[in-house]
Amino acid sequence: MPETTSTRPLRILSGIQPSGQLTIGNYLGALKQWVQLQDDYECYYCIVDMHAITVPREPAELRASTRMTAALYLACGIRPERATIFVQSHVSAHAELAWILGCLTPMGWLNRMTQFKDKAAKQQAESVSAGLFTYPTLMAADILLYQANLVPVGDDQRQHLELTRDLAQRFNSQYGETFTVPEGFFPKAGARIMGLDNPLVKMSKSETSDYHAVYMLDEPDQIKRKIMRAVTDSGNSIYFTDDPEKAGVNNLLTIYQAFTDETKEAIEARFAGKGYAELKKAVAEVVVEGLRPIQARYRELTAESDLIDQVLMQGAAKARLVANTTLNTVRERIGFLAAADRA
Ligand code: ATP
Ligand code: LTN
């Protein structure tokens, strides 16, 4: 029988793709919340390398990115004794459940996914992989295997989360109660950080232009240079707004808010009558200071050889136990014969 939420603490699962250097968007949209949630929930934080190969990737870079992502999880303050940190491809149940869920997913649902449309548009039509199209069924498998109650993610993942919920409900109604139907958990500030060079698109780690993103491991000078060059507008007033004309200023204020946890009112009062250069200087300052301790811990952690690999090995062992429990129930429910020799 699947475990029920009444007999255990609430669970969380989330993941980040090792698809390049992590940005302050990944930090503010995801990681910062993960750290805060680990004391109150049973947390599973995954490095989703199988998602990262939905677009072509250099093997050596994927390996390096996977370790770097794991080290950043730790550097941000995720404690392996509180939260399970693991690599998706180390737990083969993810691939198996993704296949099963794929067989339950109408193509029409996948056709509606805006992330697929955006990413596919950036490639030659004939080279877009089937994996990029079925990406959301793998994400659903990640979440449902752990019977997660909450999924802390940025705003861009709302649609994928809705699809996960729909799939859980579809499976449950077809085969009997099996999966917990998860809820999204979105940060109050910083759920959608925009590109510094183009505040109308989401800041993303796979965007290549030099002044698009601040990376979590950027040097203070680089951070300052990037923020001072951020696109704003020809006006001179500083306030939070949905007006696309002022998206650049709104984005800088949002970054400031997410790093300082101050209220919008306090921030607007602070910058009343000031110019954009002053705003940018202040934003650069809070970003540099916010990242400084993380960067210092990152350097310490990566100086210890084997530490990351050890954490990942132990994490995978813990994750497998939970994932395989769910997967066994799923196999049985859908009518797969029990394999006599399977552990
Ligand atoms: P890629 O560019 O390779 O698609 P990405 O930078 O968009 O990657 P993901 O690995 O897909 O990042 O996302 C990891 C987490 O970071 C998700 O929870 C996602 O919602 C969050 N996230 C990513 N970019 C932003 C952003 N600009 N603002 C807020 N949250 C973000
Ligand atoms: N699709 C997510 C990354 C991701 C994820 C997950 C997030 C893969 N599996 C499970 C939360 C839970 C993205 O940010 N692009």
Side-chain angles (χ1 to χ4, degrees):
M1 284 296 289
E3 298 158 287
T4 62
T5 50
S6 58
T7 57
R8 56 164 172 78
L10 293 183
R11 286 214 183 120
I12 282 189
L13 179 128
S14 197
I16 296 181
Q17 300 181 69
S19 49
Q21 292 214 46
L22 268 56
T23 71
I24 55 169
N26 298 129
Y27 176 61
L28 300 174
L31 274 167
K32 187 166 173 254
Q33 276 54 244
W34 298 5
V35 176
Q36 289 161 358
L37 293 164
Q38 67 183 335
D39 291 320
D40 299 322
Y41 296 85
E42 186 180 318
C43 298
Y44 295 84
Y45 295 137
C46 187
I47 297 135
V48 290
D49 55 348
M50 288 156 64
H51 278 106
I53 62 163
T54 51
V55 299
R57 214 160 286 288
E58 202 50 58
E61 277 175 25
L62 180 59
R63 264 189 292 275
S65 271
T66 303
R67 287 212 178 86
M68 184 203 285
T69 306
L72 277 171
Y73 285 10
L74 294 171
C76 284
I78 293 169
R79 303 192 310 279
E81 56 294 355
R82 280 295 320 162
T84 303
I85 301 175
F86 69 102
V87 175
Q88 185 184 35
S89 67
H90 290 179
V91 183
S92 53
H94 291 243
E96 191 173 334
L97 184 61
W99 174 260
I100 294 169
L101 294 176
C103 295
L104 246 76
T105 311
M107 300 257 286
W109 290 8
L110 297 174
N111 269 327
R112 283 200 290 272
M113 295 294 114
T114 56
Q115 180 176 300
F116 172 72
K117 288 186 224 175
D118 292 349
K119 290 205 170 182
K122 290 188 186 151
Q123 297 177 47
Q124 301 262 330
E126 61 276 17
S127 63
V128 173
S129 71
L132 191 64
F133 186 60
T134 58
Y135 179 112
T137 61
L138 178 59
M139 176 162 163
D142 299 340
I143 297 167
L144 301 181
L145 276 174
Y146 298 85
Q147 307 288 356
N149 306 88
L150 276 190
V151 183
V153 279
D155 204 44
D156 60 311
Q157 295 304 309
R158 280 181 193 274
Q159 210 185 18
H160 287 161
L161 215 67
E162 248 344 280
L163 188 137
T164 302
R165 291 166 53 85
D166 290 345
L167 269 175
Q169 278 156 350
R170 174 175 277 229
F171 192 100
N172 288 349
S173 67
Q174 231 162 297
Y175 298 104
E177 282 303 308
T178 305
F179 294 126
T180 303
V181 180
E183 306 273 346
F185 181 93
F186 305 94
K188 285 193 191 66
R192 181 176 285 267
I193 301 298
M194 310 308 281
L196 297 177
D197 57 345
N198 177 1
L200 299 176
V201 305
K202 188 195 84 152
M203 182 183 284
S204 149
K205 67 173 113 63
S206 51
E207 198 67 53
T208 48
S209 53
D210 286 348
Y211 290 90
H212 170 76
V214 170
Y215 300 112
M216 290 182 69
L217 296 174
D218 274 349
E219 299 286 338
D221 277 357
Q222 274 172 302
I223 297 175
K224 284 180 194 147
R225 228 177 312 126
K226 287 178 178 179
I227 292 177
M228 293 313 287
R229 279 192 51 160
V231 169
T232 49
D233 56 79
S234 55
N236 57 10
S237 42
I238 299 177
Y239 53 91
F240 286 93
T241 172
D242 292 336
D243 178 359
E245 290 289 317
K246 289 188 74 75
V249 167
N250 189 65
N251 192 39
L252 290 169
L253 288 170
T254 304
I255 294 171
Y256 190 91
Q257 186 193 7
F259 270 99
T260 59
D261 292 319
E262 286 178 23
T263 63
K264 287 186 176 178
E265 295 70 31
I267 295 168
E268 284 177 348
R270 175 188 299 275
F271 293 111
K274 304 247 167 82
Y276 290 171
E278 267 176 285
L279 169 66
K280 287 177 172 181
K281 256 197 173 130
V283 173
E285 183 73 20
V286 298
V287 175
V288 167
E289 291 315 316
L291 293 178
R292 195 186 293 285
I294 297 174
Q295 296 183 348
R297 273 201 299 274
Y298 179 87
R299 284 192 292 269
E300 284 167 22
L301 288 162
T302 47
E304 284 185 55
S305 69
D306 278 4
L307 179 100
I308 303 295
D309 290 350
Q310 285 293 332
V311 167
L312 294 176
M313 191 175 76
Q314 287 164 12
K318 282 203 253 171
R320 272 183 213 118
L321 289 177
V322 179
N324 287 337
T325 304
T326 304
L327 185 58
N328 277 329
T329 309
V330 169
R331 288 171 176 147
E332 190 194 315
R333 295 270 156 95
I334 58 178
F336 287 172
L337 273 190
D341 60 347
R342 186 148 56 201

